[in-house]
Amino acid sequence: MELRVLPLPQEPLDLRGDVCVVVDVIRATTALISLFESGCRKVYLSAIRHDASVLRAAVEPDAFLCAEADDGSAPPGFECEPSPARLARLDLRGRTAVLATANGTPAALAVRNAGARAVL
């Protein structure tokens, strides 16, 4: 077994056949857990804020839109910043969400787009 650590992975990567674990404890993965614990049935990841709005329009126009501005707050037009503590207090039962963070969601998408067998 080989273990590689790729801080803030950027494309192009070649991870065909690999199993990748993405951890961004400060925001992305903890916010993702909070979204599911708040009742979301599905969460889509977006690498950047602009793409999050486009993705929401494509998959579910009334999806909960969650992203962070440069100062960590919710950008205009977004329902919430990805604060795990704040998300944990919401009732999102049955909702779909679109999540964009500065580092974690781009990292997850980078390894997925690099051909990883599985991304956790």
Side-chain angles (χ1 to χ4, degrees):
M1 175 165 89
E2 178 184 341
L3 177 65
R4 292 185 285 162
V5 177
L6 303 171
L8 300 176
Q10 302 293 318
E11 294 185 67
L13 298 170
D14 183 3
L15 301 171
R16 285 175 287 193
D18 290 350
V19 173
C20 298
V21 178
V22 177
V23 179
D24 180 1
V25 178
I26 303 300
R27 284 275 178 147
T29 55
T30 309
L32 187 59
I33 290 167
S34 294
L35 285 165
F36 283 117
E37 286 180 344
S38 293
C40 283
R41 61 181 172 82
K42 187 183 300 183
V43 179
Y44 290 93
L45 301 182
S46 177
I48 59 174
R49 290 186 304 257
H50 171 73
D51 289 351
S53 298
V54 173
L55 180 59
R56 175 173 81 170
V59 297
E60 194 167 320
D62 65 339
F64 181 81
L65 197 52
C66 183
E68 60 188 338
D70 293 338
D71 66 357
S73 66
F78 286 72
E79 296 174 72
C80 190
E81 74 276 4
S83 161
R86 184 154 182 225
L87 293 171
R89 294 189 303 263
L90 299 176
D91 180 2
L92 299 172
R93 279 180 278 185
R95 302 257 333 250
T96 294
V98 177
L99 173 65
T101 64
N103 297 314
T105 57
L109 293 169
V111 297
R112 185 202 66 195
N113 293 337
R117 180 172 38 144
V119 179
L120 308 171

